[in-house]
């Protein structure tokens, strides 16, 4: 008989932070007679899975990818074998997949028991991420630029959600992003979201964004509204750069009960709403980018979401991309890509939009980095 699910949680809390996969595997072998076990982490682009227990071994298959995309267990039943693919996720953040092979179950409930183990492991992995490099190294297919290192360190995660909403974001190019960024925070029924397009290239653009994001966080964590967040960040950037560098930013505060969205449009990120098969651009009065002038003051604008709406926010590296002199991606190709996401969750939709952007470039190197954020309001 297996232990209660909390037993693996206790073992993980007592384990060294870099040994969580091994402790989980030992638990599964001891209490579920497991054979092959693998912990797969999603890479930075969310297009591949990287093994932790056997770095040169099983790196995922179609079923593992299906599990990651659907965020539901996938069972591959074979004679005498119960192979389970279990999502590793925390508060809507997709981390990877736990793969477990056991003898064919003699009783019901095995998948639920294994899912409980996966949930405990996911929570432990998220907590351990700040004190060991093992898991971040596994997620990288190549070395990041210094600018990209700063940006990934600054992110709140790649997705967040509960029964009210699901939000996801993606940066491109993942290994060489510099100025574009997104941030979010959930408190009670309020979800604050910011999308930034930092001015400049390379490390300087990343440093600019770091100042802007931390200034907005400082204001937000002191109880300031989005206008005050924008004004503090603008003043901080102007004090540092004297107007020579700035950050185009869209700040949103979403009421998850009513669907009311308060917005400060300080630059180039664009917002669109998909509703009942129709896609419309959110029309906002554009104000000055953060840090362009001293003591800039901002005003709040407002629009409404309806249940089942999808809100997409993209930086100018997406909507204004003109590879090879082609028309801007946002004029028609972005709408086509967004329509393809109709049946996908937000976590998959951001990847679809970014794949469409890469296809639009037709092999040409992008002139700018890009960020896409997608919110589904479930109510």
């Amino acid at each position: 008989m297996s232990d209660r699910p909390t037993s693996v949680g206790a073992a993980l809390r007592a384990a060294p932070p870099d040994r969580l996969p091994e402790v989980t595997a030992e638990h599964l072998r001891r209490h579920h007679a497991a054979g092959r076990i693998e912990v797969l982490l999603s890479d930075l682009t969310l297009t591949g899975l990287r093994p932790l227990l056997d770095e040169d071994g099983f790196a995922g298959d179609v079923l593992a990818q299906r599990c990651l995309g659907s965020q539901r267990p996938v069972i591959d039943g074979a004679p005498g074998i119960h192979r389970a693919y279990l999502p590793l996720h925390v508060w809507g953040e997709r981390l990877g997949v736990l793969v477990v092979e056991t003898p064919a179950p003699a009783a019901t409930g095995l998948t639920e028991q294994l899912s409980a183990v996966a949930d405990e492991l996911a929570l432990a992995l998220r907590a351990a991420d700040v004190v060991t490099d093992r898991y971040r190294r596994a997620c990288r297919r190549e070395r990041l630029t210094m600018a990209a290192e700063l940006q990934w360190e600054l992110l709140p995660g790649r997705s967040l959600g509960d029964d009210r909403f699901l939000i996801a974001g993606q940066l491109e190019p993942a290994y060489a992003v510099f100025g574009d960024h997104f941030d979010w925070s959930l408190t009670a029924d309020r979800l604050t979201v910011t999308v930034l397009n930092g001015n400049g290239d390379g490390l300087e653009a990343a440093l600019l964004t770091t100042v802007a994001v931390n200034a907005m966080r400082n204001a937000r964590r002191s109880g300031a509204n989005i206008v005050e967040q924008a004004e503090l960040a603008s003043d901080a950037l102007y004090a540092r750069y004297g107007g020579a560098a700035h950050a185009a930013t869209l700040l949103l505060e979403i009421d998850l009960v009513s669907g009311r969205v308060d917005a400060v449009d300080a630059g180039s990120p664009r917002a669109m709403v998909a509703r009942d098969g129709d896609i419309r651009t959110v029309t906002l009065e554009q104000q000055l980018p953060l840090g362009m002038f001293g003591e800039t003051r901002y005003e709040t604008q407002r629009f409404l979401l309806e249940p089942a709406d999808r809100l997409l926010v993209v930086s100018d590296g997406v909507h204004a991309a003109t590879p090879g002199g082609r028309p801007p991606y946002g004029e028609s190709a972005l709408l086509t890509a967004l329509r393809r996401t109709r049946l996908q969750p937000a976590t998959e939709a951001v990847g679809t939009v970014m794949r469409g952007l890469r296809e639009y470039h037709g092999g040409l190197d992008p002139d700018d980095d890009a960020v896409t954020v997608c919110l589904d309001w479930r109510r």
Side-chain angles (χ1 to χ4, degrees), residues 134-152:
R134 180 184 181 186
Y135 311 121
R136 296 200 185 201
R137 289 178 63 183
C139 292
R140 301 178 180 197
R141 294 183 176 183
E142 59 189 81
R143 186 170 182 171
L144 273 67
T145 64
M146 275 296 299
E149 189 74 54
L150 282 174
Q151 295 294 65
W152 282 102

Side-chain angles (χ1 to χ4, degrees), residues 168 195 250 252 269-274 279-282 303 305 309-315 318 329 334-335 337-339 341 346 349-351 353-354 371-376:
V195 176
L250 180 63
L252 305 172
R270 301 282 177 84
M272 291 172 286
V273 173
I279 301 170
R280 65 179 180 88
T281 299
V282 177
F303 62 95
L305 295 177
D309 274 0
R310 166 163 288 173
L311 174 66
L312 185 79
V313 183
V314 295
S315 69
V318 179
Y329 180 68
L334 177 58
L335 299 180
L338 186 54
R339 290 188 181 97
T341 74
V350 290
V353 171
M354 288 303 204
V371 61
T372 297
V373 171
C374 184
L375 168 72
D376 289 340

Side-chain angles (χ1 to χ4, degrees), residues 251-302:
L251 299 90
L252 305 172
E253 187 176 77
I254 302 159
D255 187 320
L256 295 171
V257 175
S258 68
R260 187 185 73 188
V261 182
D262 290 336
V264 172
D265 185 345
S268 63
R270 301 282 177 84
M272 291 172 286
V273 173
R275 176 183 300 159
D276 297 329
D278 183 44
I279 301 170
R280 65 179 180 88
T281 299
V282 177
T283 303
L284 298 170
E285 182 180 348
Q286 196 172 101
Q287 301 173 70
L288 293 172
L290 305 182
M292 181 171 281
F293 296 102
E295 298 185 358
T296 302
R297 295 297 170 252
Y298 294 94
E299 295 182 357
T300 302
Q301 301 171 74
R302 184 169 294 167

